[in-house]
Amino acid sequence: MRLLHHPRAATATAALAAALALAASGSPASASAGASARPAASAHPFAAETASLPGCGPHTALHRTLRRLTEADGLAGAAVGVTDPVCGRWNDATGTADLAAGRPMNARDRLRAGSVTKTFTATVLLQLAAEHRVDLDEPVARRLPGLIAGNGHDGRKITVRQLLRHTSGLPDYLDAPEWQHVERLRYRHFTPRELIARALTLPAPGPPAGSGFHYATTNYLVAGLVIEQVTGRSAESEVTRRIIRPLGLRDTYWPGDDPRLRGPHSHSYYAPGADAARTDGTDWNMTFGGVGGALVSSPGDLERFFGALLDGRLLPPEQLAQMRRTVAADPDRLWPGARYGLGLISSPLPCGGVWWGHAGTVPGGHRALGAVGPGGRRVAVALNEVPSTEQAEADFRAVVEAALCEGRPSRSPASPHAPRGHDTAPPAPRAPDARNPRTAKESA
């Protein structure tokens, strides 16, 4: 599963490329057809009684950036939900949730959360660490002997912490050649051990364990098996028992083998090749994402989850602090300036400080992001089509920044408040360059 789909190198033959997201580029014809089916952008509702407070309204910058995604970039639909400790909650949406029915996009629909799932899984492992049932620095082979062995891969040299931080050196099974045509595997059932075994047939992606960041959903499938070994229950059931039910996340569930989405949801759209028409990708068997990318959720649920996590309701201070210790992320797999902790991303804001959260993309076209910024303001963004240009990716990130920075003075992204992990400093953000295409490998 990917975090995001970086289109800088989207080609007809590299539609997926690592993580749980599909790097699909829609043709101009399909984009224009989608635009003609879209209704006018919705008004941006907000609480009138708080609009006069500093930073509480009228959210014109957020509305403008959101509309760019559908009107300028040609995506089918985009929605955002924001909750502020002072201003309350407001939603905005533009474009279309279901092109066949012409139903407008909204911020209440369910969608596939993709790699946002990783933060749920990491949280459970950190809870187990807080309970002294697992040591983050113990080798994976202690829990899963023989699982990671051969072809230069050795579970005795990989720790649980390295799995969660993507510094294990393990390859991503989604880099295997068969995933170049992900649509052919759309309804197939996969098991975690099957996918891990496939990853281990691939060459090491570069740095050995502990020496560099390489985003791979393989890490989280292994982490899920660690949870199962420690608890005697599946990682999915532990996420449900420890997080989903206690927080009352009514829209969040594991779909299993069911390719359909339950309840009100946006349809998702993708193009299987550079010259292919836009296709409905809503129905998809997500067992290939597992505890690294299969969750279904909603913007409201993602907001509540990240709010509870980052205000200390899910983890003790020590484990939350470890989760926020970051390394510099590969900008080809995330984006410039991003850093990765234990299942948690930090990214600098133009108004100073950083947001903490995670993003995810799935092959059928859904993109989700949940984050918390300075002052406790929370944002969740939902797209039902993956951006296919560098400008569209920049516009997606601009929605997050507008939501978290409205009402705050602008500052340089290279702020003294920008995060510093215990390894290296983040690279300076750079402007998108559409002339140098490449695909950032994220995961669902």
Side-chain angles (χ1 to χ4, degrees), residues 9-166:
T11 67
T13 59
L16 181 69
L20 267 188
L22 176 69
S25 174
S27 67
S30 65
S32 61
S36 65
R38 284 190 290 272
S42 61
H44 46 291
F46 61 92
E49 61 272 20
T50 61
S52 60
L53 297 175
C56 289
H59 315 302
T60 52
L62 175 60
H63 188 61
R64 184 171 58 251
T65 56
L66 192 69
R67 288 183 61 175
R68 276 205 301 266
L69 288 168
T70 55
E71 297 180 2
D73 301 322
L75 303 188
V80 62
V82 187
T83 299
D84 185 90
V86 174
C87 305
R89 178 176 174 82
W90 59 95
N91 298 330
D92 199 354
T94 181
T96 309
D98 182 344
L99 294 176
R103 182 168 60 86
M105 193 75 172
N106 68 77
R108 299 176 301 279
D109 278 351
R110 293 173 178 172
L111 77 161
R112 300 193 189 279
S115 282
V116 178
T117 305
K118 291 179 171 66
T119 312
F120 287 76
T121 301
T123 300
V124 168
L125 254 179
L126 285 160
Q127 288 177 345
L128 294 172
E131 296 163 11
H132 305 291
R133 300 174 68 183
V134 66
D135 184 339
L136 294 179
D137 294 311
E138 67 179 281
V140 172
R142 182 180 298 172
R143 300 289 178 176
L144 304 167
L147 177 69
I148 301 173
N151 198 26
H153 309 298
D154 189 348
R156 296 171 300 178
K157 299 178 180 179
I158 296 170
T159 67
V160 174
R161 187 188 305 275
Q162 289 166 354
L163 294 176
L164 299 183
R165 191 179 276 149
H166 296 292

Side-chain angles (χ1 to χ4, degrees), residues 223-246:
L225 294 180
V226 172
I227 293 172
E228 181 178 334
Q229 191 277 333
V230 172
T231 65
R233 292 178 289 269
S234 71
E236 289 89 345
S237 65
E238 286 295 289
V239 168
T240 299
R241 185 176 74 88
R242 291 168 173 265
I243 299 174
I244 295 174
R245 286 178 185 160

Side-chain angles (χ1 to χ4, degrees), residues 374-435:
R377 184 180 290 182
R378 312 192 306 256
V379 62
V381 184
L383 306 182
N384 63 348
E385 186 175 359
V386 178
S388 61
T389 67
E390 188 69 28
Q391 183 59 56
E393 284 289 350
D395 290 342
F396 170 74
R397 296 193 298 272
V399 169
V400 182
E401 293 172 354
L404 295 175
C405 284
E406 276 189 328
R408 302 181 65 219
S410 180
R411 298 178 60 178
S412 167
S415 157
H417 300 288
R420 292 293 185 269
H422 64 288
D423 288 325
T424 56
R430 61 178 180 271
D433 184 358
R435 298 168 298 175

